[in-house]
Amino acid sequence: MSALHPHHTPEAHPSGPGAGPRRSRGVDGPPAAPRPSRSPGYRPVVDLDSGAVVAVEVVAAPPAPHPAVPGGPPHAEMGVHEGAAVADWVLGLVAEAAGTESLLPLVLPLPARILTAGEGFVALVESRMRRAGRRPRDITFLLGTDLADLPRSVVSPGVSRLRAAGFRCGFGTSMVRPDLVVEAAPFLMRIDPEVVSGVATDQRHATVVEGLARIGRGSGVYAMASGVGTAEDVLRLRACGIRVGTGEFFADRTWRPGERVTPVPEPAASQGREEDAGPRVTEFMVPPVGFDSDTTTEQVLEAFTGDPALNSVILIDHRERPVGVIDRTRFLLSVTGRYGHALHAKRPALRLAESPRTIPAWMTALAALRVAGQDTERVYDDLVATNSYGQCLGVVHISDLIQSLSRS
């Protein structure tokens, strides 16, 4: 959820940054933090097309709010001490999750009332996350169901403050007005289990889910199905346009990050066209090394020098969409040449990037090779696999496709 980052396969969840744009924790590790009173639970957030685990949802009960002042306004601003307590609680969840040794993006619960806390809470939680070795873009705050009770004048500015600090926001319930979804533009919108549970058997449920998916797709918001219980649910959710989900179909409540999840049903095979035959590009997809679009050339150079096997770096925007790709060979020729470092090091790497060559993740390897062959000057450049939202799922090396198809 960079952000969602659907790059881990259900068969293997490496302990390193693996499936998302690679990141590292702080050198000294997370600071001491108050642990939650009860150990949190974990749910895999799964890409319904590929079966990849794209993020880890942390399940925990938020701290109880301070008692309301009798006769006070129904949505009084959260006090400084209460905001600090919530920030410490969030840090405790991150510290607890750090024990799983998974650098997948986290989806963390957050009481929606925190949106009344103002800039102070945002600065506090950002500082704590960075000290814990987590960049804000690695965190999606899933605002609680009390979100539906807050006035628009609180929700939109509150979401904007969190977004300005780099955090992603998710609406923890779909029971909010569609116009508020469009105005606040959260990163994620969760479809309630009560709606999802009947999607495979009740057309009314399927119609609601399809409508929410269209609202999300049209406004750039991920619609995530919660409470997915059967393979039939997965198939129907796909047909409705939903791309990510959680639920006991994928793993039971004892699941921990890094463990296997139940594979998703294979998509129905197409008939009659040669390019529809053979393996999908998802079988050859590797985790991208992703950077923000405003990353400097010097930072990209460090990535290349630190990993001799790295072919390319993907520059992505705040919604995980690829905006540029930097090829290793051409980049190093520009930067290491005469005056190259002086000219480029402190400037945005986007100046040296080229437009990404994107392919949908459902495409076959044979069709992807044909796409690669259309540009004779960049025929061996990496391809960027994307989902239906145009967001980066992974990188496909042309050499891997050629070797595989030549063996078959």
Side-chain angles (χ1 to χ4, degrees):
M1 103 202 53
S2 64
L4 300 177
H5 302 280
H7 314 305
H8 277 68
T9 61
E11 290 76 23
H13 301 298
S15 61
R22 297 184 201 169
R23 304 174 174 91
S24 59
R25 290 199 182 98
V27 174
D28 298 325
R35 301 282 175 165
S37 56
R38 295 179 59 186
S39 294
Y42 301 97
R43 294 185 187 132
V45 180
V46 177
D47 182 282
L48 300 186
D49 288 323
S50 66
V53 178
V54 302
V56 174
E57 181 182 0
V58 180
V59 183
H66 287 189
V69 177
H75 302 292
E77 289 190 3
M78 181 177 285
V80 174
H81 295 299
E82 189 174 358
V86 173
D88 287 339
W89 173 73
V90 169
L91 179 60
L93 295 180
V94 172
E96 189 82 13
T100 67
E101 292 303 320
S102 171
L103 287 186
L104 279 167
L106 295 176
V107 179
L108 299 176
L110 193 69
R113 188 166 164 265
I114 200 69
L115 297 181
T116 67
E119 295 285 354
F121 171 79
V122 176
L124 199 60
V125 76
E126 180 187 10
S127 171
R128 280 160 165 70
M129 291 303 103
R130 291 191 181 279
R131 287 171 53 210
R134 281 284 188 173
R135 296 191 306 178
R137 67 172 303 137
D138 295 339
I139 304 295
T140 298
F141 285 125
L142 197 60
L143 300 171
T145 55
D146 56 325
L147 175 73
D149 301 325
L150 293 177
R152 179 193 299 266
S153 59
V154 169
V155 175
S156 294
V159 170
S160 296
R161 284 192 295 268
L162 286 167
R163 186 188 300 119
F167 294 107
R168 276 78 183 274
C169 276
F171 284 2
T173 176
S174 54
M175 303 307 172
V176 293
R177 300 185 305 276
D179 59 331
L180 181 58
V181 175
V182 173
E183 179 181 323
F187 180 70
L188 186 70
M189 176 176 62
R190 179 180 178 180
I191 304 180
D192 303 271
E194 294 79 10
V195 177
V196 174
S197 62
V199 71
T201 56
D202 191 328
Q203 182 58 41
R204 296 171 300 174
H205 286 234
T207 300
V208 172
V209 170
E210 186 173 2
L212 291 170
R214 293 185 66 181
I215 291 172
R217 192 161 53 246
S219 54
V221 178
Y222 255 121
M224 181 181 76
S226 57
V228 180
T230 66
E232 289 73 22
D233 287 346
V234 174
L235 294 173
R236 193 59 186 268
L237 288 166
R238 278 182 190 159
C240 290
I242 302 296
R243 292 294 172 261
V244 289
T246 66
E248 293 198 357
F249 169 76
F250 304 110
D252 61 26
R253 297 181 181 181
T254 64
W255 182 85
R256 301 280 293 177
E259 295 178 352
R260 294 175 181 271
V261 298
T262 304
V264 298
E266 289 290 336
S270 302
Q271 301 292 329
R273 292 190 301 170
E274 180 186 0
E275 67 178 13
D276 288 328
R280 304 280 169 181
V281 293
T282 49
E283 296 185 24
F284 307 95
M285 210 163 60
V286 298
V289 175
F291 285 92
D292 295 337
S293 55
D294 57 356
T295 295
T296 66
T297 301
E298 192 169 42
Q299 290 172 300
V300 174
L301 180 60
E302 290 175 0
F304 280 127
T305 55
D307 186 353
L310 180 61
N311 286 352
S312 61
V313 161
I314 311 299
L315 301 179
I316 52 182
D317 66 12
H318 70 289
R319 290 198 178 275
E320 298 297 327
R321 295 170 297 198
V323 295
V325 61
I326 299 178
D327 176 76
R328 180 189 188 93
T329 302
R330 291 191 289 275
F331 174 82
L332 293 180
L333 284 174
S334 298
V335 175
T336 61
R338 191 173 186 183
Y339 306 121
H341 190 272
L343 287 172
H344 302 296
K346 300 300 182 182
R347 296 185 179 182
L350 190 59
R351 298 169 64 252
L352 299 178
E354 297 165 294
S355 59
R357 296 195 304 168
T358 60
I359 54 173
W362 48 259
M363 183 174 278
T364 63
L366 183 58
L369 274 179
R370 290 175 177 167
V371 171
Q374 293 173 1
D375 187 345
T376 56
E377 294 184 359
R378 300 174 58 192
V379 66
Y380 290 106
D381 283 11
D382 291 341
L383 300 175
V384 181
T386 60
N387 62 14
S388 58
Y389 291 83
Q391 294 167 315
C392 180
L393 297 183
V395 167
V396 179
H397 301 315
I398 298 300
S399 58
D400 293 342
L401 299 182
I402 295 173
Q403 289 174 7
S404 174
L405 294 178
S406 64
R407 288 195 297 268
S408 60

